[in-house]
Amino acid sequence: YDFSLYWIHRYLHGSWMWPSHAVHHSDPELHFLSWPRAHFIEQFFINAVLVFTSSWLGFKISEIYMLSVIQMLHQYYVHSRLDWDHGFLRNVIASPQYHRWHHANVEDAYDKNFASIFPFIDRLFGTYYNPGPSVDVPTGVSEPIENTFIAQFLHPFREWARMLTERRRQSSSAREAG
């Protein structure tokens, strides 16, 4: 389950889905209520892929539900404003410090710490980053998203329209040059 979440999360950061995931990352003050701050398209995508991969692996729907409840509770914890790192267990279970680095608006931390519960998955794929205390590290995204429901709802659609316009402009330029 967490292995699937790792790859889904990594995909959200490096694909056309980033504008929907950016809503989650846009909270300038990370706290336990930052976790449910998410765009409905992102949530639909994540849940559809998780149900598909988990049922493909043989999990029953009741087991998938229980795993999602455990993961949800853990997400409230890791998004909290605590600077705990779990000491010698830091590579076994995700801590608020580890996850805050994922949300850090610091270049060295970009595209790091994708695992939801088990940080050893990040170690395995070279995306682990936890240099130490993180409670005062700036969070949020470089492209500010207004902190209103409407702005957050519209953000992915505006960004996708901008991306399509840019792609069309590049295609036109390439045709004219070629």
Side-chain angles (χ1 to χ4, degrees), residues 51-61 63-64:
V51 167
F52 174 78
T53 57
S54 298
S55 53
W56 180 73
L57 290 169
F59 288 99
K60 297 176 190 160
I61 197 70
E63 294 167 333
I64 296 169

Side-chain angles (χ1 to χ4, degrees), residues 8-44:
I8 294 165
H9 196 178
R10 194 165 173 174
Y11 178 78
L12 291 171
H13 277 256
S15 72
W16 62 275
M17 286 291 289
W18 169 250
S20 67
H21 188 54
V23 171
H24 172 67
H25 277 268
S26 69
D27 200 343
E29 293 186 35
L30 194 65
H31 49 82
F32 80 102
L33 289 177
S34 299
W35 179 71
R37 178 187 183 125
H39 199 273
F40 77 94
I41 290 175
E42 173 197 18
Q43 289 303 300
F44 178 80

Side-chain angles (χ1 to χ4, degrees), residues 151-165:
Q152 292 172 23
F153 178 83
L154 293 175
H155 176 75
F157 303 109
R158 289 177 175 155
E159 280 298 300
W160 290 328
R162 185 194 59 73
M163 291 162 73
L164 283 173
T165 301

Side-chain angles (χ1 to χ4, degrees), residues 112-163:
K112 303 290 187 199
N113 299 356
F114 295 112
S116 181
I117 297 175
F118 302 117
F120 66 82
I121 298 172
D122 280 294
R123 287 245 189 236
L124 186 64
F125 294 105
T127 53
Y128 182 89
Y129 184 77
N130 189 355
S134 62
V135 77
D136 293 323
V137 170
T139 58
V141 290
S142 298
E143 71 278 358
I145 301 171
E146 190 179 329
N147 201 14
T148 67
F149 175 78
I150 297 298
Q152 292 172 23
F153 178 83
L154 293 175
H155 176 75
F157 303 109
R158 289 177 175 155
E159 280 298 300
W160 290 328
R162 185 194 59 73
M163 291 162 73

